[in-house]
Amino acid sequence: MAEHAADPTWGVLAEFASPTALYRACEQLRDAGFTRWDAHSPFPVHGLDRAMGLRPSRLPWVVFGGGMLGAAGGLGLQWWTSTIAYPQVIAGKPHFSWPAFVPVTFELGVLAAALACVLGMLHFNRLPRLHHPIFRSTRFEGVSDDRFFISIEAADPRFDPSATPGWLTQLGATQVELLAE
Amino acid sequence: MSQQPTTTELSLNLDEPVDQRPPLLLGDNSFRGITEAVCRPVEWVPPRGWYIFFGVSLALLGVLVLSTAYLFYMGTGIWGLNNPVGWGWAIVNFVFWVGIGHAGTLISAILFLFRQRWRTSINRFAEAMTIFAVMCALLFPTIHVGRVWVIYWALPYPNQMGIWPNFRSPLLWDVFAVSIYGSVSLLFWYMGLLPDLATLRDRAKSQLRRVIYGIFALGWRGSHRHWQHYERAYLILAAISTPLVLSVHSIVSFDFAVSQLPGWHTTIFPPYFVAGAIFSGFAMVVTLMTIARTVFGLEHIVTRRHFENMAKVMLLTGSIVGYAYAMEFFIAWYSGNPFERFVFLNRAFGPYAWAYWIMVTCNVIVPQTFWFKRLRRSLLWLFIASILVNIGMWFERFVITVTSLHRDFLPSSWDYYSPTFWDICALVGSFGLFFTMFSLFVRFLPQVAMAEVKAIVPAAHVHHATLHPAAPHAGPGAPAAPGAAPAGSLATPASLPQEA
């Protein structure tokens, strides 16, 4: 692209021809000690977490916390409204007739867990982020179709603008391009 | 039976757990081929059939709007409700539509947890159906309350009246269950759409499309660091949607079962309702999918095998429903309760016997034809049967609601309920709402989850066997074989870009 010469460089983008080639290159990058890099694919390539050396997502804890808060809030709401705010004897039941409160408690727990899940996922991924330097590459438009990429940021301590692109080609990249910030 | 696909197609099926199964996808299943097939209906000028379908749906939606406006003006007296039958078609339609929605969540969540990979071809479609069905469902109790302008009283909020909703009422549980079910389904659906919206963004030819799909894609860039959290989120949502979907129709059944009315007050209701919901939902998926795959040329992605699997689910759930009908009768007799016994005899042989036997024919007899492989694989019969099943499931709710109410404990208040013109308008109009939403969905959003389908084709798998032969001369400097080779010849069309 035209930005090849532009400074400063954001990083390098290398295209790979298949999930297997991508997987193999990721293992090499992981073993070479790169930290600020990423793989891009149209679908989640099975096992790539291991090839990239990623730690498991912490999302389950966020969802658990959200769900528990939602359920506790739901039960608290029903307890407070039916014992303190608006105590009524209905069907001869005690004010805090908790078995009747199970459905709403459960539903609110699920709602909060689902919200925590989706919002937590977006937060961990720093999305929405509508612009990103990687979108400068026209080749990258194929990432949502049938293309596989690895990107390494210039901010990575091991990144070398003269050597890294050539090394990526050796790892099997079919196309390598530098991207401007 | 596996002879229908050609030999090359069969070779795509090597990683199937059971031999001799037809492949999940037929024909061109390269990554690009999948993208093209799924995006075509969104990017091309739609066929004339779409405009006709959309026009008719819009007209029916107009019927809904006008009849609802008249309802708001006049009140629920325009419906056929009378004194013993206070729950007429509005509640029948409500339960019918909620039930339709359940298949979507079953396919998207429960089949995902069971690793049923065939779901990927139909889950998007079924989830969309869920959302539109829940919209129709929420409409009916809302307009049934009469004074719809104070419907927000159903929500717990601090108000000047100093009152709070009664959390012991199943009707309030329903407000929470159905609205939360709709919200969570929408979240699940939208999250599943993210990668596919990015595909549409990246393929957009016009700036407007690029911006609109771009905003909704939230800047998705296929990053594996993102996929990692995304896949985890997907799994968790599936795991929490599973008890949710089972709870929703259980709670809907509590509307009936928690009351003291013979014919309603039974413990079999929650599982019976859930099975019926899945039964009717799958029937609706079959009906819609038969049309959509033909109109939009998706026959190689949604194959006969998908239909056969759906027929099997319908056979199972239809049999559970049939068992529940029988068990209700058995308990009515076995309990020795004269009121209970009367209600069930009245159901089968009273003034609504015609509705009862329509229900039994459509829901019990029709699905039993799916024991035969020929009929499971006959799209024509599946299409007819799925419509019959949905007619039957509508009548099931009609029978449950009306027959228990119309002859209550006091014979002096017995009456016969029949719908009015406006009841019919509301039901027909709700189909208008459903099909209008559906037409827009198939026009503007990918109706197959591309990213998920791509992940199950053989070319998507990392071939570890071919990794290791390269290992001896590996090391950072070793040039890898051109990538098409490891994935086999299948990957070649996918991994070669078509234009520079």
Side-chain angles (χ1 to χ4, degrees):
Chain A
M1 282 199 63
E3 286 88 352
H4 269 199
D7 269 344
T9 307
W10 173 78
V12 64
L13 183 68
E15 184 177 348
F16 291 82
S18 72
T20 308
L22 181 75
Y23 186 94
R24 180 186 301 183
C26 282
E27 287 182 320
Q28 299 289 338
L29 261 85
R30 174 197 65 194
D31 295 344
F34 284 90
T35 47
R36 302 195 59 170
W37 64 288
D38 208 340
H40 304 264
S41 55
F43 54 86
V45 176
H46 189 67
L48 207 59
D49 317 3
R50 222 170 339 122
M52 290 177 71
L54 299 181
R55 291 219 306 273
S57 172
R58 282 168 294 145
L59 192 62
W61 295 106
V62 175
V63 178
F64 180 75
M68 286 297 126
L69 274 179
L75 189 61
L77 171 76
Q78 295 174 84
W79 166 79
W80 180 73
T81 56
S82 55
T83 58
I84 294 172
Y86 192 54
Q88 302 281 313
V89 176
I90 292 165
K93 295 188 180 84
H95 287 148
F96 184 61
S97 51
W98 67 268
F101 299 157
V102 169
V104 171
T105 304
F106 171 77
E107 300 295 335
L108 286 172
V110 166
L111 177 67
L115 285 171
C117 184
V118 174
L119 297 178
M121 184 273 290
L122 292 175
H123 171 76
F124 283 135
N125 290 343
R126 302 294 183 269
L127 291 175
R129 176 176 177 182
L130 296 189
H131 179 70
H132 191 278
I134 208 164
F135 289 133
R136 290 185 202 283
S137 162
T138 45
R139 303 193 66 80
F140 193 71
E141 286 176 359
V143 76
S144 57
D145 181 4
D146 61 352
R147 294 186 178 180
F148 303 87
F149 296 91
I150 284 178
S151 64
I152 307 177
E153 291 178 43
D156 191 299
R158 295 189 62 95
F159 180 80
D160 177 350
S162 54
T164 308
W167 184 62
L168 283 167
T169 312
Q170 284 183 325
L171 288 184
T174 52
Q175 296 278 336
V176 180
E177 60 181 306
L178 288 169
L179 293 176
E181 183 68 65
Chain B
M1 114 234 135
S2 53
Q3 286 318 304
Q4 277 177 337
T6 66
T7 42
T8 46
E9 285 157 356
L10 273 179
S11 68
L12 307 181
N13 197 27
L14 293 176
D15 58 337
E16 273 300 304
V18 178
D19 287 350
Q20 303 298 318
R21 278 187 182 173
L24 287 172
L25 307 177
L26 305 171
D28 179 9
N29 67 2
S30 65
F31 300 136
R32 160 102 12 127
I34 293 165
T35 313
E36 292 290 340
V38 176
C39 289
R40 195 187 305 121
V42 186
E43 293 171 345
W44 281 14
V45 177
R48 182 178 301 170
W50 182 85
Y51 285 104
I52 295 169
F53 189 79
F54 183 59
V56 172
S57 308
L58 214 54
L60 294 181
L61 178 61
V63 169
L64 179 70
V65 172
L66 289 178
S67 66
T68 309
Y70 187 62
L71 174 82
F72 290 173
Y73 180 70
M74 292 295 287
T76 47
I78 64 168
W79 285 342
L81 305 174
N82 56 35
N83 214 1
V85 186
W87 279 8
W89 274 29
I91 300 304
V92 175
N93 297 342
F94 161 68
V95 182
F96 172 75
W97 280 117
V98 179
I100 296 283
H102 278 51
T105 319
L106 181 98
I107 292 169
S108 61
I110 300 181
L111 296 186
F112 179 77
L113 296 182
F114 284 133
R115 300 285 188 265
Q116 295 293 306
R117 298 190 309 161
W118 58 276
R119 67 179 267 292
T120 56
S121 292
I122 55 171
N123 71 333
R124 169 73 43 75
F125 202 83
E127 287 165 27
M129 186 192 75
T130 295
I131 289 160
F132 307 145
V134 172
M135 286 168 62
C136 294
L138 280 170
L139 175 76
F140 281 104
T142 307
I143 62 177
H144 189 257
V145 298
R147 286 188 286 165
V148 68
W149 45 93
V150 290
I151 187 71
Y152 59 90
W153 285 0
L155 300 174
Y157 72 103
N159 54 63
Q160 81 284 7
M161 301 172 286
I163 61 173
W164 290 85
N166 174 16
F167 285 102
R168 296 172 191 86
S169 164
L171 300 183
L172 190 71
W173 301 347
D174 239 13
V175 172
F176 280 84
V178 180
S179 58
I180 288 175
Y181 178 51
S183 315
V184 173
S185 301
L186 194 64
L187 275 177
F188 199 2
W189 187 60
Y190 178 61
M191 205 188 79
L193 268 168
L194 274 181
D196 289 357
L197 289 169
T199 306
L200 290 172
R201 171 199 67 198
D202 293 342
R203 290 168 58 93
K205 296 279 188 290
S206 76
Q207 187 64 20
L208 183 68
R209 286 178 75 91
R210 178 170 287 265
V211 168
I212 292 175
Y213 284 119
I215 288 172
F216 283 104
L218 305 180
W220 184 261
R221 50 186 191 273
S223 151
H224 194 76
R225 288 174 196 274
H226 291 182
W227 278 124
Q228 197 204 12
H229 294 298
Y230 178 91
E231 282 199 286
R232 183 50 55 135
Y234 201 98
L235 178 67
I236 293 171
L237 273 184
I240 60 180
S241 297
T242 298
L244 176 68
V245 68
L246 298 180
S247 82
V248 171
H249 226 58
S250 299
I251 290 176
V252 170
S253 82
F254 290 159
D255 290 346
F256 300 91
V258 174
S259 75
Q260 304 280 347
L261 216 57
W264 286 5
H265 189 61
T266 58
T267 49
I268 202 174
F269 260 34
Y272 155 36
F273 267 51
V274 171
I278 292 165
F279 182 49
S280 66
F282 267 89
M284 188 61 104
V285 178
V286 168
T287 311
L288 297 172
M289 208 81 224
T290 319
I291 303 170
R293 77 195 274 270
T294 314
V295 172
F296 298 108
L298 295 170
E299 286 97 341
H300 62 294
I301 294 180
V302 183
T303 64
R304 265 168 213 273
R305 181 170 157 198
H306 294 103
F307 283 95
E308 197 182 343
N309 285 352
M310 288 195 275
K312 287 176 184 168
V313 176
M314 282 162 64
L315 173 59
L316 172 70
T317 49
S319 302
I320 297 175
V321 166
Y323 171 80
Y325 296 162
M327 193 45 68
E328 279 188 313
F329 263 84
F330 172 74
I331 294 296
W333 166 75
Y334 189 67
S335 66
N337 180 324
F339 296 102
E340 196 77 17
R341 201 175 291 190
F342 168 77
V343 161
F344 281 93
L345 287 176
N346 183 49
R347 254 185 208 179
F349 306 108
Y352 289 104
W354 56 276
Y356 183 82
W357 294 107
I358 289 176
M359 168 188 101
V360 170
T361 310
C362 293
N363 292 352
V364 182
I365 298 169
V366 167
Q368 295 307 316
T369 60
F370 295 143
W371 286 106
F372 301 100
K373 192 176 192 85
R374 278 251 314 275
L375 293 173
R376 284 203 302 270
R377 294 180 67 84
S378 156
L379 289 183
L380 178 66
W381 172 241
L382 270 171
F383 184 69
I384 296 169
S386 67
I387 290 172
L388 288 177
V389 164
N390 263 324
I391 292 172
M393 286 306 295
W394 188 88
F395 272 100
E396 180 195 295
R397 282 66 178 249
F398 178 82
V399 165
I400 292 172
T401 307
V402 174
T403 61
S404 286
L405 285 171
H406 86 121
R407 289 186 170 174
D408 65 3
F409 297 103
L410 207 59
S412 63
S413 61
W414 288 4
D415 204 349
Y416 189 82
Y417 165 85
S418 44
T420 63
F421 172 73
W422 299 105
D423 281 298
I424 298 167
C425 283
L427 175 61
V428 170
S430 68
F431 275 95
L433 172 63
F434 183 74
F435 286 124
T436 301
M437 298 305 293
F438 229 100
S439 318
L440 293 174
F441 160 67
V442 296
R443 176 77 185 85
F444 292 108
L445 290 172
Q447 47 190 301
V448 172
M450 287 182 274
E452 289 185 50
V453 171
K454 286 174 190 171
I456 64 158
V457 301
H461 301 320
V462 174
H463 291 246
H464 294 276
T466 55
L467 284 175
H468 298 298
H473 58 96
S489 56
L490 296 169
T492 314
S495 34
L496 289 181
Q498 283 185 351
E499 84 286 349

